[in-house]
Amino acid sequence: MSATVSARKRWWALAVLSLTQLVVVLDGTIVTIALPQAQFELELTDVQRQWVVTAYALAFGALLLLGGRIADYWGRKRTYLVGMVGFGLASAYGGLAQSGVELIVARGLQGVFAAMLAPAALALVAVTFPTGRDRNIAFAIFGTVAGAGAAVGLVLGGVLTEFADWRWCLLVNVFFVVIGVIGALVLLSESKADGDNRYDWPGAVVVTLGLGAVVYGFSLAETGWGSPWTIGFLAAGVLLLALFVVIESRGSQPLLPLRIVTDRVRGGALLIQAVAGSVIIGATLYVTLHLQVVLGMSALWAGLASLPIPLVSVLLAPLVTRMLSRVGPRPLLITGPLIVAAALLYLSRITATGTYAVEVLPALLVMGVGMSLLFVPLQNVALSRVAAHDMGAASATVNSALQIGGSVGLTVFTAVYAGALGGSGQSATPAALASAYGATFVAAAIGMVAAAVIAVVLVRGAKEDLLPSVARKEHGREREHAAV
């Protein structure tokens, strides 16, 4: 009886942790639909408008590795609770913001606390479901929620903007935070890395500055790739990240143990995660802009029109989970990105005179199929064969790949869009806008083809080796790995 209760309890714990993941991911996009209203009310400049999105993703991605280590050393449940409460307070601050600067600061603070919250949640899933079929199902649910979060954010943002006010796109998080805190106190158990653990502060500072410089450099590319500021920030970012690798290779307790990313399969999964993040955060924005600016949909209808992606992903998740057990993750990680790429190429043919039903809906339905095939196995593969001691750091790396990929993708697609418009800006005709949006979808499709190639080259091996095994020898390998 107690085993049944325990099993029941951990599935309820998964529900709470999945809700957390949904909030963290959707907050990257929930304000997208509300931005026109927020820009008008707070008198934001176009640069400030972009930073409302970028500030969240940048702070989130840059601090995730430190957040992962805090979860490992201080305690995953404790870190989860602090991150959740802080996220709620930052959301309330943003919802009550009276200026553009306050809104951007609030979004940055959301990213800071999300950087604690996300790796703690993912690590708690991994330690709650250590092996076997239940682990595959748990990661399928968690991955599906992560994949659908961006689109759900667009829908929720549309509903709240249409029927309430753009501020509720931030204030609604307080409701989720209350559920998360109560659920964590009742359902989650504490876990943390054993031993005498010290924080790698030099590594934390260098990687944060490095990732920040890279993302900011890409954001400047909209004004020109040859700009000295663009080149300078990108070069500084690369040099700082190279220094970070040196620091981590020499430290006794590194922020990011290099064994996490040098594993061929895991490294491939992280690269795929980064590309997928760029498509989720970047390309989804331009779908929404096309629906509102060119097709003239309201915020509500634009949000609802984005529903096919998450709906198809959720409906297919059980089937894809069964496929994962039978064929393994490699075929899914190859096929999924190619299906998404095909959908994006179809979407690139949009015109100013076309209809949603003909030019957009079919692509979104197919994209949902590809996203389900991609996200169900992706995080499972990225966290397979990770020692318990490194689970928080590995979880942070997975989330960081998604957020940094999304930040870079958003800025790259913005540069592609600006280049396609040729400087016409706000005076562009609907036909020119549709063509520019199409160019961003072609760029996103190229990225997804690259993700499939990465899967072919790096995600190799028998399915038993790519997914956690129930066998005791797997636990033995993890203990040996941790000892090393």
Short mmCIF file of all heavy atoms in Angstrom, two decimals, residues 232-284:
data_model
loop_
_atom_site.label_atom_id
_atom_site.label_comp_id
_atom_site.label_asym_id
_atom_site.label_seq_id
_atom_site.Cartn_x
_atom_site.Cartn_y
_atom_site.Cartn_z
N GLY A 232 32.94 43.34 -31.67
CA GLY A 232 33.62 43.41 -30.38
C GLY A 232 32.96 42.57 -29.31
O GLY A 232 33.62 41.81 -28.60
N PHE A 233 31.63 42.69 -29.20
CA PHE A 233 30.92 41.91 -28.18
C PHE A 233 30.96 40.41 -28.49
O PHE A 233 31.13 39.59 -27.58
CB PHE A 233 29.47 42.39 -28.06
CG PHE A 233 29.29 43.51 -27.08
CD1 PHE A 233 29.18 44.82 -27.53
CD2 PHE A 233 29.27 43.27 -25.72
CE1 PHE A 233 29.02 45.86 -26.62
CE2 PHE A 233 29.10 44.29 -24.80
CZ PHE A 233 29.00 45.61 -25.26
N LEU A 234 30.81 40.05 -29.77
CA LEU A 234 30.86 38.63 -30.12
C LEU A 234 32.25 38.05 -29.85
O LEU A 234 32.38 36.94 -29.31
CB LEU A 234 30.48 38.43 -31.59
CG LEU A 234 29.01 38.66 -31.95
CD1 LEU A 234 28.79 38.55 -33.45
CD2 LEU A 234 28.11 37.67 -31.22
N ALA A 235 33.29 38.80 -30.20
CA ALA A 235 34.66 38.34 -29.96
C ALA A 235 34.94 38.22 -28.46
O ALA A 235 35.54 37.23 -27.99
CB ALA A 235 35.66 39.30 -30.61
N ALA A 236 34.50 39.23 -27.69
CA ALA A 236 34.69 39.18 -26.24
C ALA A 236 33.97 37.98 -25.64
O ALA A 236 34.49 37.30 -24.74
CB ALA A 236 34.20 40.48 -25.60
N GLY A 237 32.76 37.71 -26.13
CA GLY A 237 32.00 36.57 -25.63
C GLY A 237 32.70 35.26 -25.89
O GLY A 237 32.79 34.39 -25.01
N VAL A 238 33.22 35.10 -27.10
CA VAL A 238 33.93 33.86 -27.45
C VAL A 238 35.18 33.70 -26.58
O VAL A 238 35.47 32.60 -26.07
CB VAL A 238 34.30 33.86 -28.94
CG1 VAL A 238 35.24 32.70 -29.27
CG2 VAL A 238 33.04 33.78 -29.80
N LEU A 239 35.93 34.77 -26.39
CA LEU A 239 37.14 34.70 -25.58
C LEU A 239 36.82 34.37 -24.12
O LEU A 239 37.51 33.56 -23.48
CB LEU A 239 37.91 36.03 -25.65
CG LEU A 239 38.57 36.34 -27.00
CD1 LEU A 239 39.19 37.74 -26.98
CD2 LEU A 239 39.65 35.30 -27.32
N LEU A 240 35.76 34.97 -23.59
CA LEU A 240 35.37 34.69 -22.22
C LEU A 240 34.91 33.24 -22.06
O LEU A 240 35.22 32.58 -21.04
CB LEU A 240 34.26 35.64 -21.79
CG LEU A 240 34.69 37.08 -21.48
CD1 LEU A 240 33.48 37.99 -21.37
CD2 LEU A 240 35.52 37.13 -20.20
N LEU A 241 34.19 32.71 -23.04
CA LEU A 241 33.75 31.32 -22.97
C LEU A 241 34.94 30.37 -23.08
O LEU A 241 34.96 29.31 -22.44
CB LEU A 241 32.72 31.03 -24.06
CG LEU A 241 31.37 31.75 -23.87
CD1 LEU A 241 30.45 31.45 -25.05
CD2 LEU A 241 30.70 31.33 -22.57
N ALA A 242 35.94 30.74 -23.88
CA ALA A 242 37.16 29.93 -23.96
C ALA A 242 37.90 29.95 -22.62
O ALA A 242 38.41 28.91 -22.15
CB ALA A 242 38.08 30.47 -25.06
N LEU A 243 37.94 31.12 -21.98
CA LEU A 243 38.55 31.21 -20.65
C LEU A 243 37.77 30.37 -19.64
O LEU A 243 38.36 29.73 -18.76
CB LEU A 243 38.58 32.68 -20.20
CG LEU A 243 39.10 32.96 -18.79
CD1 LEU A 243 40.54 32.47 -18.63
CD2 LEU A 243 39.00 34.45 -18.47
N PHE A 244 36.46 30.34 -19.78
CA PHE A 244 35.62 29.53 -18.91
C PHE A 244 35.99 28.04 -19.02
O PHE A 244 36.08 27.34 -18.00
CB PHE A 244 34.15 29.73 -19.26
CG PHE A 244 33.20 28.82 -18.53
CD1 PHE A 244 33.00 28.96 -17.16
CD2 PHE A 244 32.52 27.83 -19.20
CE1 PHE A 244 32.13 28.12 -16.49
CE2 PHE A 244 31.64 26.99 -18.55
CZ PHE A 244 31.44 27.13 -17.18
N VAL A 245 36.22 27.57 -20.23
CA VAL A 245 36.62 26.17 -20.43
C VAL A 245 37.93 25.89 -19.71
O VAL A 245 38.11 24.84 -19.07
CB VAL A 245 36.73 25.85 -21.94
CG1 VAL A 245 37.33 24.47 -22.15
CG2 VAL A 245 35.36 25.94 -22.61
N VAL A 246 38.90 26.84 -19.81
CA VAL A 246 40.18 26.66 -19.13
C VAL A 246 39.98 26.59 -17.62
O VAL A 246 40.54 25.73 -16.93
CB VAL A 246 41.13 27.82 -19.49
CG1 VAL A 246 42.41 27.73 -18.67
CG2 VAL A 246 41.46 27.80 -20.98
N ILE A 247 39.16 27.51 -17.08
CA ILE A 247 38.90 27.53 -15.64
C ILE A 247 38.26 26.21 -15.19
O ILE A 247 38.66 25.63 -14.17
CB ILE A 247 38.00 28.72 -15.28
CG1 ILE A 247 38.73 30.04 -15.49
CG2 ILE A 247 37.51 28.61 -13.82
CD1 ILE A 247 37.86 31.26 -15.31
N GLU A 248 37.30 25.73 -15.96
CA GLU A 248 36.60 24.51 -15.57
C GLU A 248 37.49 23.28 -15.66
O GLU A 248 37.35 22.34 -14.88
CB GLU A 248 35.36 24.31 -16.46
CG GLU A 248 34.34 25.44 -16.37
CD GLU A 248 33.97 25.77 -14.93
OE1 GLU A 248 33.12 25.06 -14.36
OE2 GLU A 248 34.52 26.74 -14.38
N SER A 249 38.41 23.28 -16.60
CA SER A 249 39.30 22.12 -16.75
C SER A 249 40.31 22.02 -15.62
O SER A 249 40.87 20.95 -15.37
CB SER A 249 40.03 22.20 -18.09
OG SER A 249 40.92 23.31 -18.12
N ARG A 250 40.53 23.13 -14.92
CA ARG A 250 41.55 23.14 -13.86
C ARG A 250 40.96 23.15 -12.45
O ARG A 250 41.67 22.94 -11.48
CB ARG A 250 42.46 24.37 -14.02
CG ARG A 250 43.25 24.35 -15.33
CD ARG A 250 44.12 25.59 -15.48
NE ARG A 250 44.91 25.54 -16.70
CZ ARG A 250 45.75 26.51 -17.09
NH1 ARG A 250 45.89 27.59 -16.33
NH2 ARG A 250 46.42 26.37 -18.22
N GLY A 251 39.65 23.43 -12.33
CA GLY A 251 39.04 23.53 -11.02
C GLY A 251 38.73 22.17 -10.41
O GLY A 251 38.44 21.20 -11.12
N SER A 252 38.81 22.10 -9.08
CA SER A 252 38.51 20.84 -8.39
C SER A 252 37.01 20.60 -8.29
O SER A 252 36.56 19.46 -8.27
CB SER A 252 39.14 20.85 -6.99
OG SER A 252 38.64 21.95 -6.23
N GLN A 253 36.23 21.68 -8.22
CA GLN A 253 34.77 21.57 -8.16
C GLN A 253 34.17 22.58 -9.14
O GLN A 253 33.64 23.62 -8.74
CB GLN A 253 34.25 21.80 -6.75
CG GLN A 253 34.62 20.67 -5.79
CD GLN A 253 33.97 20.83 -4.43
OE1 GLN A 253 34.01 21.89 -3.84
NE2 GLN A 253 33.35 19.77 -3.95
N PRO A 254 34.26 22.29 -10.43
CA PRO A 254 33.85 23.26 -11.45
C PRO A 254 32.35 23.50 -11.46
O PRO A 254 31.56 22.65 -11.08
CB PRO A 254 34.33 22.60 -12.75
CG PRO A 254 34.33 21.13 -12.45
CD PRO A 254 34.75 21.03 -11.01
N LEU A 255 32.00 24.68 -11.93
CA LEU A 255 30.59 25.03 -12.11
C LEU A 255 29.95 24.08 -13.12
O LEU A 255 28.83 23.61 -12.92
CB LEU A 255 30.48 26.48 -12.59
CG LEU A 255 29.10 27.04 -12.84
CD1 LEU A 255 28.36 27.22 -11.52
CD2 LEU A 255 29.19 28.38 -13.57
N LEU A 256 30.66 23.80 -14.20
CA LEU A 256 30.20 22.87 -15.23
C LEU A 256 31.28 21.82 -15.46
O LEU A 256 32.25 22.07 -16.19
CB LEU A 256 29.90 23.61 -16.54
CG LEU A 256 29.53 22.73 -17.74
CD1 LEU A 256 28.26 21.93 -17.45
CD2 LEU A 256 29.36 23.57 -19.00
N PRO A 257 31.16 20.66 -14.82
CA PRO A 257 32.13 19.59 -15.10
C PRO A 257 32.14 19.28 -16.59
O PRO A 257 31.10 19.00 -17.19
CB PRO A 257 31.59 18.41 -14.29
CG PRO A 257 30.76 19.03 -13.21
CD PRO A 257 30.15 20.25 -13.84
N LEU A 258 33.31 19.37 -17.21
CA LEU A 258 33.38 19.24 -18.66
C LEU A 258 32.92 17.88 -19.15
O LEU A 258 32.56 17.73 -20.31
CB LEU A 258 34.81 19.54 -19.14
CG LEU A 258 35.28 20.98 -18.91
CD1 LEU A 258 36.69 21.18 -19.46
CD2 LEU A 258 34.32 21.98 -19.53
N ARG A 259 32.93 16.87 -18.25
CA ARG A 259 32.46 15.56 -18.66
C ARG A 259 30.98 15.58 -19.07
O ARG A 259 30.52 14.72 -19.81
CB ARG A 259 32.67 14.54 -17.54
CG ARG A 259 31.96 14.87 -16.23
CD ARG A 259 32.20 13.83 -15.16
NE ARG A 259 31.63 14.23 -13.87
CZ ARG A 259 32.32 14.88 -12.93
NH1 ARG A 259 33.58 15.21 -13.15
NH2 ARG A 259 31.75 15.20 -11.79
N ILE A 260 30.25 16.58 -18.58
CA ILE A 260 28.83 16.69 -18.93
C ILE A 260 28.65 17.01 -20.40
O ILE A 260 27.79 16.46 -21.07
CB ILE A 260 28.14 17.74 -18.05
CG1 ILE A 260 28.06 17.26 -16.60
CG2 ILE A 260 26.74 18.07 -18.57
CD1 ILE A 260 27.47 18.28 -15.65
N VAL A 261 29.48 17.93 -20.92
CA VAL A 261 29.30 18.38 -22.31
C VAL A 261 30.21 17.68 -23.30
O VAL A 261 29.96 17.72 -24.51
CB VAL A 261 29.52 19.91 -22.41
CG1 VAL A 261 28.43 20.64 -21.66
CG2 VAL A 261 30.88 20.31 -21.87
N THR A 262 31.28 17.04 -22.82
CA THR A 262 32.18 16.36 -23.75
C THR A 262 31.69 14.97 -24.15
O THR A 262 32.18 14.39 -25.11
CB THR A 262 33.60 16.25 -23.16
OG1 THR A 262 33.52 15.61 -21.87
CG2 THR A 262 34.23 17.62 -23.01
N ASP A 263 30.71 14.43 -23.41
CA ASP A 263 30.08 13.19 -23.85
C ASP A 263 29.45 13.44 -25.21
O ASP A 263 28.67 14.38 -25.40
CB ASP A 263 29.02 12.78 -22.82
CG ASP A 263 28.28 11.52 -23.24
OD1 ASP A 263 27.25 11.65 -23.93
OD2 ASP A 263 28.73 10.43 -22.87
N ARG A 264 29.76 12.59 -26.18
CA ARG A 264 29.34 12.84 -27.57
C ARG A 264 27.82 12.91 -27.70
O ARG A 264 27.28 13.84 -28.31
CB ARG A 264 29.87 11.73 -28.48
CG ARG A 264 29.57 11.96 -29.96
CD ARG A 264 29.88 10.72 -30.76
NE ARG A 264 28.96 9.64 -30.39
CZ ARG A 264 29.14 8.36 -30.72
NH1 ARG A 264 30.21 8.00 -31.39
NH2 ARG A 264 28.25 7.44 -30.35
N VAL A 265 27.12 11.96 -27.13
CA VAL A 265 25.66 11.91 -27.27
C VAL A 265 25.02 13.10 -26.56
O VAL A 265 24.16 13.78 -27.11
CB VAL A 265 25.11 10.59 -26.71
CG1 VAL A 265 23.59 10.61 -26.69
CG2 VAL A 265 25.61 9.41 -27.55
N ARG A 266 25.48 13.37 -25.33
CA ARG A 266 24.90 14.47 -24.58
C ARG A 266 25.21 15.81 -25.24
O ARG A 266 24.36 16.71 -25.31
CB ARG A 266 25.41 14.47 -23.14
CG ARG A 266 24.67 15.44 -22.24
CD ARG A 266 25.12 15.31 -20.79
NE ARG A 266 24.92 13.96 -20.32
CZ ARG A 266 25.90 13.11 -20.00
NH1 ARG A 266 27.16 13.50 -20.10
NH2 ARG A 266 25.65 11.89 -19.59
N GLY A 267 26.43 15.95 -25.74
CA GLY A 267 26.78 17.18 -26.45
C GLY A 267 25.90 17.39 -27.67
O GLY A 267 25.46 18.51 -27.96
N GLY A 268 25.63 16.31 -28.40
CA GLY A 268 24.72 16.41 -29.55
C GLY A 268 23.33 16.83 -29.15
O GLY A 268 22.70 17.68 -29.79
N ALA A 269 22.82 16.24 -28.05
CA ALA A 269 21.48 16.60 -27.57
C ALA A 269 21.42 18.07 -27.17
O ALA A 269 20.41 18.75 -27.42
CB ALA A 269 21.09 15.70 -26.40
N LEU A 270 22.49 18.58 -26.55
CA LEU A 270 22.50 19.98 -26.14
C LEU A 270 22.51 20.91 -27.35
O LEU A 270 21.85 21.97 -27.34
CB LEU A 270 23.72 20.25 -25.25
CG LEU A 270 23.70 19.56 -23.89
CD1 LEU A 270 25.04 19.73 -23.17
CD2 LEU A 270 22.57 20.09 -23.02
N LEU A 271 23.25 20.55 -28.38
CA LEU A 271 23.26 21.36 -29.60
C LEU A 271 21.88 21.37 -30.26
O LEU A 271 21.40 22.41 -30.73
CB LEU A 271 24.31 20.83 -30.58
CG LEU A 271 25.77 21.08 -30.22
CD1 LEU A 271 26.69 20.36 -31.19
CD2 LEU A 271 26.07 22.57 -30.22
N ILE A 272 21.24 20.22 -30.30
CA ILE A 272 19.88 20.14 -30.86
C ILE A 272 18.92 20.99 -30.04
O ILE A 272 18.06 21.69 -30.57
CB ILE A 272 19.40 18.68 -30.92
CG1 ILE A 272 20.29 17.86 -31.87
CG2 ILE A 272 17.94 18.59 -31.36
CD1 ILE A 272 20.04 16.37 -31.80
N GLN A 273 19.08 20.94 -28.72
CA GLN A 273 18.23 21.74 -27.83
C GLN A 273 18.38 23.24 -28.13
O GLN A 273 17.40 23.99 -28.13
CB GLN A 273 18.61 21.47 -26.37
CG GLN A 273 17.79 22.23 -25.34
CD GLN A 273 16.56 21.48 -24.89
OE1 GLN A 273 15.95 20.76 -25.67
NE2 GLN A 273 16.18 21.67 -23.65
N ALA A 274 19.61 23.68 -28.39
CA ALA A 274 19.86 25.09 -28.69
C ALA A 274 19.17 25.50 -29.99
O ALA A 274 18.56 26.57 -30.07
CB ALA A 274 21.36 25.35 -28.77
N VAL A 275 19.29 24.66 -31.01
CA VAL A 275 18.64 24.97 -32.29
C VAL A 275 17.12 24.99 -32.12
O VAL A 275 16.43 25.88 -32.63
CB VAL A 275 19.05 23.96 -33.37
CG1 VAL A 275 18.29 24.22 -34.66
CG2 VAL A 275 20.55 24.04 -33.62
N ALA A 276 16.59 24.00 -31.38
CA ALA A 276 15.15 23.96 -31.16
C ALA A 276 14.67 25.20 -30.41
O ALA A 276 13.60 25.75 -30.69
CB ALA A 276 14.79 22.70 -30.37
N GLY A 277 15.47 25.67 -29.45
CA GLY A 277 15.12 26.88 -28.72
C GLY A 277 15.04 28.09 -29.63
O GLY A 277 14.16 28.94 -29.47
N SER A 278 15.95 28.17 -30.59
CA SER A 278 15.92 29.30 -31.52
C SER A 278 14.64 29.31 -32.34
O SER A 278 14.05 30.37 -32.60
CB SER A 278 17.13 29.26 -32.45
OG SER A 278 17.01 28.23 -33.42
N VAL A 279 14.17 28.13 -32.72
CA VAL A 279 12.94 28.05 -33.51
C VAL A 279 11.72 28.36 -32.65
O VAL A 279 10.81 29.09 -33.05
CB VAL A 279 12.81 26.66 -34.17
CG1 VAL A 279 11.46 26.52 -34.87
CG2 VAL A 279 13.94 26.46 -35.17
N ILE A 280 11.69 27.81 -31.42
CA ILE A 280 10.54 28.02 -30.53
C ILE A 280 10.36 29.50 -30.22
O ILE A 280 9.27 30.06 -30.38
CB ILE A 280 10.73 27.23 -29.22
CG1 ILE A 280 10.60 25.74 -29.48
CG2 ILE A 280 9.71 27.66 -28.18
CD1 ILE A 280 10.97 24.91 -28.28
N ILE A 281 11.44 30.14 -29.78
CA ILE A 281 11.34 31.53 -29.33
C ILE A 281 11.37 32.50 -30.50
O ILE A 281 10.62 33.48 -30.54
CB ILE A 281 12.46 31.85 -28.33
CG1 ILE A 281 12.28 30.99 -27.07
CG2 ILE A 281 12.46 33.33 -27.96
CD1 ILE A 281 13.39 31.14 -26.04
N GLY A 282 12.24 32.24 -31.49
CA GLY A 282 12.39 33.17 -32.59
C GLY A 282 11.32 33.06 -33.66
O GLY A 282 10.60 34.02 -33.94
N ALA A 283 11.18 31.87 -34.24
CA ALA A 283 10.25 31.71 -35.36
C ALA A 283 8.80 31.89 -34.92
O ALA A 283 7.97 32.44 -35.65
CB ALA A 283 10.43 30.34 -36.00
N THR A 284 8.47 31.44 -33.70
CA THR A 284 7.10 31.59 -33.20
C THR A 284 6.68 33.05 -33.13
O THR A 284 5.53 33.40 -33.40
CB THR A 284 6.96 30.93 -31.82
OG1 THR A 284 7.39 29.58 -31.88
CG2 THR A 284 5.52 30.96 -31.35
#
